[in-house]
Amino acid sequence: MKVVIIGGDAAGMSAAMQVVRNDEQAEVTVLEKGSYYSYAQCGLPYFIGGLVEDSGDLIARSRDTFREKHGIDARIYHEVTELDPENKVVKGDNLETGEPFEMTYDKCLVATGASPIFPPFDGNDLEGIHVLKTIPDAKKIVEDMNEQVTQVTVIGGGYIGLEVAENFVEKGMSVRLIDLAERVGTVYDKEISEKIEKVAKKQGIELVLNESVESFEGDQRVEEIKTDKGSYQTDMAVVAIGVKPNTSFLKNADVHLHQTGAMIVNSYMETNVKDLYAAGDCATQYHRIKEKNDYIPLGTHANKQGRVAGSNIAGVTKTFQGIVGTSIMKFFELTVAKTGLSEKEAEDLNIPFQSILFEGHTHAGYYPNSEKILFKMMKHKSNGQLLGVQAVGRDGVDKRIDVAATALYHNMTISDLENLDLSYAPPYNGVWDPLQQAARRL
Ligand code: FAD
């Protein structure tokens, strides 16, 4: 069986490993347009900040390992530009030689990920304007941070923008963050965003909200950013306003796409086209609480979906069980996390809900270093089903969110959550976990 995988990172290589592990006869070719395989994009902000000194540490498995140890024909600089599902052919260009190539397949996985959105602002080709998605992107930013660069502007207040802003502050830069929304962290409700903004201001980050970037100005290099309301001097800019799935090369392939452009997949990671699979940031995820396909491009989903796709390609049936919308980020001393729905998501879906804010503690107050955690918890108004939890604090946020994510996955009600047998000793918790206290209040 000839398996062609397009894209050699999280989803693609999780799949490739499943194919070679489950079907020794399969011939696996991976077509990757860049030069890196299996690396942690999630670690890139910390490479900019210097916490990760060597970008090589972000590589989980090299191309050579895939080729030599696992017998995978892992190619670099091979960009796929067209897919012909009728004849089961992929076509593209070898970016090193400039030669076109064609390849037939029995089964094909699209794992092309997503690209940063980079709107056609005037002046966006000036030097000193960056995006952050790949190791080369991160290296360019690091190389660009010379002594003349002291004022950096991050455009976009989502988790990547915030992580990048933090790491620029760690490098001693003056940092400004511009967003067209009225607050940063819009995946969270406003009470959580307020906590993030408070820390941003404490760290000296200039927040420019409710302003839309219109152009970059400068001679050769960016010197100024113009918005609809003002203009701002800057020595460098990073645009982090979201991503779009890399699916435009499928234009003639009649693949069903989600409104975001992601390929619609079922739980086997199959598309509507025979023997064509998709996984990761170029594919949808079924959202268990929303009960519909969603697009939340994250590494956790890419790895799981890739593994499921690879197993199914190799004939070992597996299903992707969907997501509940869990994510977490560090912002200076804060941990900010969410699982399930925010108020806006529930409103958009017309789900009747009730919510509360609850301030709990990491562990028993009399034991040293007890810290506050702010929770926002939502339940379905009529049946009491848990709908979502958001949390922000210094410690202990991660474990509460993961407990809540488990509860959501199993459709638990607020009273199920209250009755869970969770661990307690004074250094770790109160007799009632703050999640359970919040559930009781709700
Ligand atoms: P990608 O990793 O994007 O890989 C797709 C590959 O396909 C790329 O190597 C690309 O070069 C190749 N490709 C694309 N088009 C073609 C083509 N036409 N032909 C050939 N090859 C092609 N997720 C989390 O869960 N937690 C985090 O903390 C987190 N932090 C992040 C921080 C940053 C700065 C970034 C950028 C992402 C972060 N993510 C995080 C998201 C996570 O990295 C992605 O969800 C994950 O990498 C997606 O994996 P993928 O394999 O689907 O796509």
Side-chain angles (χ1 to χ4, degrees):
M1 177 175 63
K2 274 173 86 173
V3 178
V4 171
I5 295 175
I6 313 170
D9 195 23
M13 298 323 287
S14 299
M17 289 304 295
Q18 286 306 301
V19 178
V20 294
R21 283 189 175 134
N22 289 302
D23 181 352
E24 285 179 6
Q25 305 306 318
E27 280 173 41
V28 182
T29 304
V30 181
L31 304 171
E32 165 55 53
K33 74 171 179 185
S35 60
Y36 289 94
Y37 267 79
S38 275
Y39 64 97
Q41 288 170 14
C42 318
L44 294 174
Y46 307 102
F47 174 64
I48 292 173
L51 203 63
V52 175
E53 286 176 18
D54 182 352
S55 62
D57 291 346
L58 299 175
I59 299 172
R61 276 201 189 99
S62 69
R63 178 203 183 200
D64 289 347
T65 307
F66 287 120
R67 290 178 82 91
E68 286 153 24
K69 201 161 158 213
H70 303 291
I72 296 169
D73 180 4
R75 305 191 186 183
I76 54 174
Y77 302 124
H78 275 62
E79 180 173 20
V80 174
T81 53
E82 204 184 326
L83 189 120
D84 171 2
E86 196 111 321
N87 298 304
K88 291 191 160 182
V89 176
V90 292
K91 298 176 188 174
D93 296 309
N94 181 329
L95 302 176
E96 230 171 356
T97 62
E99 295 288 312
F101 68 82
E102 277 196 19
M103 193 170 286
T104 58
Y105 64 82
D106 295 309
K107 294 191 178 182
C108 176
L109 169 68
V110 181
T112 46
S115 292
I117 296 169
F118 195 61
F121 300 129
D122 275 353
N124 69 4
D125 54 348
L126 289 169
E127 285 170 20
I129 305 170
H130 300 270
V131 292
L132 180 63
K133 178 67 180 164
T134 62
I135 289 181
D137 291 340
K139 283 184 170 169
K140 276 191 218 150
I141 293 173
V142 170
E143 279 160 21
D144 212 10
M145 288 197 289
N146 58 42
E147 276 148 32
Q148 274 80 54
V149 175
T150 56
Q151 170 72 61
V152 188
T153 304
V154 177
I155 301 167
Y159 80 93
I160 293 179
L162 289 165
E163 287 177 358
V164 168
E166 172 183 347
N167 280 284
F168 279 137
V169 171
E170 299 297 349
K171 291 300 268 186
M173 305 275 180
S174 289
V175 181
R176 174 190 303 116
L177 193 147
I178 303 182
D179 199 304
L180 56 75
E182 60 182 15
R183 56 191 173 87
V184 300
T186 48
V187 298
Y188 309 104
D189 286 330
K190 74 172 184 340
E191 300 88 346
I192 309 292
S193 296
E194 280 165 9
K195 295 275 180 192
I196 302 173
E197 287 173 8
K198 198 168 161 196
V199 167
K201 286 180 191 154
K202 192 179 93 187
Q203 293 290 343
I205 297 176
E206 179 192 352
L207 294 179
V208 178
L209 302 172
N210 273 318
E211 291 196 28
S212 168
V213 170
E214 293 190 332
S215 67
F216 296 103
E217 310 288 329
D219 228 355
Q220 214 182 326
R221 188 178 170 88
V222 63
E223 288 166 18
E224 199 182 347
I225 297 178
K226 285 211 164 125
T227 70
D228 53 349
K229 294 191 185 136
S231 64
Y232 302 91
Q233 300 291 319
T234 199
D235 302 319
M236 196 204 261
V238 175
V239 181
I241 58 172
V243 296
K244 59 170 187 318
N246 292 323
T247 53
S248 58
F249 71 97
L250 296 165
K251 51 195 174 298
N252 302 323
D254 205 18
V255 179
H256 293 172
L257 300 181
H258 185 249
Q259 74 239 30
T260 54
M263 299 166 75
I264 297 175
V265 287
N266 62 18
S267 60
Y268 303 99
M269 299 292 107
E270 293 166 331
T271 68
N272 61 305
V273 172
K274 191 169 170 351
D275 294 326
L276 185 67
Y277 296 73
D281 283 8
C282 61
T284 52
Q285 302 87 32
Y286 180 74
H287 196 300
R288 296 170 67 98
I289 312 299
K290 295 183 181 174
E291 296 183 333
K292 63 176 191 173
N293 284 325
D294 205 352
Y295 181 63
I296 305 183
L298 284 174
T300 41
H301 313 328
N303 279 282
K304 288 195 197 88
Q305 289 190 320
R307 194 178 159 82
V308 168
S311 298
N312 289 326
I313 287 171
V316 178
T317 303
K318 278 208 166 76
T319 52
F320 179 63
Q321 296 291 324
I323 63 168
V324 292
T326 310
S327 65
I328 190 162
M329 63 167 238
K330 171 185 175 305
F331 188 60
F332 296 96
E333 67 267 32
L334 291 184
T335 303
V336 193
K338 168 185 184 249
T339 186
L341 307 183
S342 64
E343 281 194 357
K344 181 170 184 315
E345 287 172 305
E347 279 160 10
D348 288 349
L349 292 163
N350 287 320
I351 298 176
F353 67 87
Q354 281 178 321
S355 69
I356 55 146
L357 280 176
F358 175 77
E359 197 166 69
H361 289 87
T362 48
H363 56 260
Y366 56 82
Y367 190 88
N369 304 323
S370 175
E371 296 267 1
K372 288 177 183 164
I373 305 177
L374 179 70
F375 290 92
K376 173 123 186 204
M377 186 177 282
M378 286 167 55
K379 69 167 184 179
H380 195 288
K381 205 167 178 178
S382 46
N383 63 18
Q385 190 198 337
L386 179 66
L387 289 178
V389 176
Q390 298 164 61
V392 56
R394 288 165 185 261
D395 288 325
V397 168
D398 48 354
K399 92 161 169 171
R400 272 65 188 215
I401 282 298
D402 285 343
V403 169
T406 310
L408 281 166
Y409 183 93
H410 290 287
N411 288 317
M412 286 188 192
T413 62
I414 289 292
S415 58
D416 291 330
L417 183 57
E418 199 189 334
N419 290 322
L420 286 180
D421 178 16
L422 301 179
S423 59
Y424 162 65
Y428 305 106
N429 216 340
V431 277
W432 288 97
D433 185 279
L435 267 183
Q436 296 177 308
Q437 292 177 299
R440 198 162 54 208
R441 293 274 178 94
L442 185 55

